[in-house]
Amino acid sequence: MLTLTSIWTTVLLAAAVALGPLATDMYLPALPQIGSDFGTGTDQVQLTLSLYMAGFAIAQLICGPLADRFGRKPIMIGGMVLFALASVGCAFATNIETLIACRFLQALGGSAGPVLGRAAIRDIYTPREAAKILAILASMMALAPAVAPTIGGFLVAGMGWSSIFIVLALYALLMAGVVAFGIPEPMKAEYRQPLRLCNLVGNYRQIGTDVSFLGYTLTNALIFSGLFAFLSGSSFVLIDFLGVEPQHFGLYFAGIVIGYISGNLTAVRLSRNLVPDQILVRGLLIAVAGGVSMAGLAMAEVYSPWAVIIPQAVFMAGTGMVLPQTMAGALANFPRMAGSASALFGFVQMAVAAMAGALVGHLHDGTSLVMSVIIAGCACASLASYLLFVKRNPAPGFEPQGASA
C-alpha cells in the first residue's frame, strides 16, 4: 500500500479518474457508425453523450455525501463495478434507446472517480498545493484522451463499436482492484459527516451560497462546456464533413491533447512565481483566443481539419491552465466536506456541459460552424464569469496581497 503523498498515489488516482475521459473519448470515432447501425440521426446519437453527462452530474450529488460518510475508497470501488456492468450492457445493446439507457447507468458508476479523485487531493493537500497537484494529475489523465480515440478508431475498424465497451469494462474492473489494494483511504476519520437528510441539505446550502465557490464553479463549467462541445461535434465535423478516416481520428485528436498537456505543464511551471488566480486569468485569455479564432475561420468558410484542430489546441492549452485552478479554488473553503463540495462542483460542471453538447447536436448544420461558435461563446462566458465573480472573491491564498490577478 502506497503512502498518500507518494507520486505513485497521484499516478494511480489519475489512472482511476481517467475512466471518465475514456468513457467519452474512446467511442467518439464510433458515433457515425452507431448512428448508421441503428438508423438514427445525429441528435439521437448525441444523446448517448449528453445523457451520459447528465447522469454523471446527478450521480455526483449522491456519491459525494456517501464518500463524506463512508470514505472515498468504498464508493469509488462500487462505482467502478457498476460502470463495468453498464459497459457490458452498452456492448450488447440492440437499439439506440438501450444504448442511451446503459450509457446513463455507466455514468452513474463512472462519476465516482472524478468527484472522489478531486476530494482525495483536497484531503491530502492544502488549497494552493492542491492546485499544483491537480495540474500534474490532469497532465497524467490527458494521456487517456490522447490515445483513447486512436484505440477506439482501430477497434471500430477491426471489431466494431461494441468492442470499445468491452475494453472499458475490463479497464474499470482493473481500476477497482488498483484502488482497493494500492491506495490508502485519504479521508481523515474525524472529517466523516453523518448521513442525515437535514445534514446533507445544510451542507449543500452552505456550499452553494459561498460566492467564491460559485464563481470558480461557474468559470470551470463554462470552459469545460467548450471542451464538451468539441467532444460532441468533433467526430461528425472531422469524419462526416471533412472526410477524416475513423482510424485516423485519434491522430488529429492527439493534437488537442498536446495543447491541453502543454497548458497543464505551463500551470505547474508558473505556480513557482504566480498564485493560482493569476494563472487562471492567463489561461482564460488563451482559451478565448483559440475559440474565437476557430469561429472566425468557420465563418470565413475555411474548411480544413487544421482549421479546427489548431485553434482547438490553443483553446485546450488555456483550458489546461484553467481547470486545475478552478477545481482547487472551489474546494478551498471546505476541507471538512470536500466530497460534497466536489460533488456539487461536478454536478454544475456536467449539467452545463450536457446542455452545450445537446445544443451542438440540435443545431448541427453539417459544417464546423455551430460547434465553433459554441466553443467561442463558452470561452467568452467563462472569462466574463471570472471578471464578475472570481476576481472579486478569490479563494484563500489564491491572490497576492495588494495585487490583482
Side-chain angles (χ1 to χ4, degrees):
M1 190 77 66
L2 298 169
T3 60
L4 286 174
T5 54
S6 167
I7 186 61
W8 290 107
T9 297
T10 302
V11 170
L12 293 181
L13 278 174
V17 173
L19 190 63
L22 283 173
T24 52
D25 300 335
M26 187 176 286
Y27 96 124
L28 290 178
L31 293 180
Q33 187 183 93
I34 290 172
S36 176
D37 287 354
F38 291 146
T40 58
T42 301
D43 55 342
Q44 284 287 98
V45 178
Q46 291 279 12
L47 284 177
T48 64
L49 274 173
S50 297
L51 285 184
Y52 176 88
M53 299 300 281
F56 214 91
I58 294 168
Q60 292 186 76
L61 294 178
I62 300 170
C63 71
L66 287 175
D68 280 343
R69 172 64 183 88
F70 298 108
R72 315 304 184 204
K73 284 182 60 173
I75 308 304
M76 190 179 289
I77 293 166
M80 289 175 176
V81 172
L82 174 59
F83 180 96
L85 294 174
S87 297
V88 174
C90 290
F92 291 98
T94 56
N95 53 62
I96 193 66
E97 291 80 13
T98 301
L99 180 60
I100 289 171
C102 288
R103 282 283 289 171
F104 186 82
L105 291 174
Q106 195 184 39
L108 299 184
S111 66
V115 67
L116 300 184
R118 289 191 297 264
I121 295 298
R122 182 62 186 92
D123 291 334
I124 300 167
Y125 298 98
T126 66
R128 189 163 178 178
E129 289 172 339
K132 180 178 179 179
I133 296 300
L134 283 167
I136 295 172
L137 185 141
S139 297
M140 295 175 184
M141 282 177 57
L143 295 175
V147 301
T150 301
I151 295 172
F154 281 108
L155 287 172
V156 169
M159 294 181 285
W161 59 264
S162 62
S163 62
I164 293 173
F165 293 104
I166 297 297
V167 171
L168 287 172
L170 294 173
Y171 185 84
L173 292 175
L174 174 63
M175 286 301 102
V178 165
V179 172
F181 301 108
I183 301 175
E185 173 57 56
M187 185 182 182
K188 296 179 181 178
E190 62 268 27
Y191 283 3
R192 299 208 174 195
Q193 301 283 321
L195 195 63
R196 295 193 296 266
L197 181 60
C198 60
N199 190 69
L200 296 181
V201 172
N203 286 351
Y204 276 134
R205 183 186 297 117
Q206 179 182 346
I207 296 165
T209 54
D210 185 282
V211 178
S212 178
F213 172 85
L214 292 174
Y216 285 105
T217 300
L218 183 59
T219 302
N220 177 286
L222 288 166
I223 203 75
F224 186 79
S225 295
L227 165 58
F228 192 69
F230 179 80
L231 294 179
S232 297
S234 59
S235 59
F236 295 100
V237 169
L238 292 174
I239 296 174
D240 283 353
F241 176 53
L242 297 175
V244 172
E245 294 293 330
Q247 59 267 36
H248 297 152
F249 175 82
L251 299 177
Y252 287 95
F253 198 86
I256 71 155
V257 176
I258 291 171
Y260 183 66
I261 294 174
S262 299
N264 291 149
L265 296 179
T266 299
V268 173
R269 183 177 60 82
L270 291 177
S271 67
R272 301 168 189 162
N273 301 310
L274 302 177
V275 293
D277 270 12
Q278 293 173 317
I279 301 170
L280 171 57
V281 71
R282 287 161 173 76
L284 286 168
L285 292 173
I286 292 170
V288 168
V292 171
S293 297
M294 190 196 303
L297 289 170
M299 289 177 182
E301 299 185 355
V302 178
Y303 296 137
S304 161
W306 298 112
V308 174
I309 295 301
I310 292 176
Q312 183 65 18
V314 175
F315 172 88
M316 291 299 292
T319 301
M321 297 171 66
V322 169
L323 293 185
Q325 319 310 318
T326 51
M327 290 178 193
L331 302 184
N333 291 334
F334 306 102
R336 292 185 174 273
M337 54 182 87
S340 296
S342 181
L344 187 58
F345 172 90
F347 172 80
V348 176
Q349 180 193 62
M350 296 301 176
V352 176
M355 288 188 284
L359 196 62
V360 170
H362 181 70
L363 299 178
H364 181 60
D365 63 351
T367 73
S368 59
L369 180 62
V370 169
M371 181 187 75
S372 301
V373 169
I374 290 175
I375 291 170
C378 289
C380 292
S382 185
L383 177 60
S385 174
Y386 169 82
L387 295 173
L388 290 172
F389 303 111
V390 175
K391 189 174 176 64
R392 300 176 184 178
N393 301 277
F398 269 37
E399 186 172 4
Q401 293 293 326
S404 58

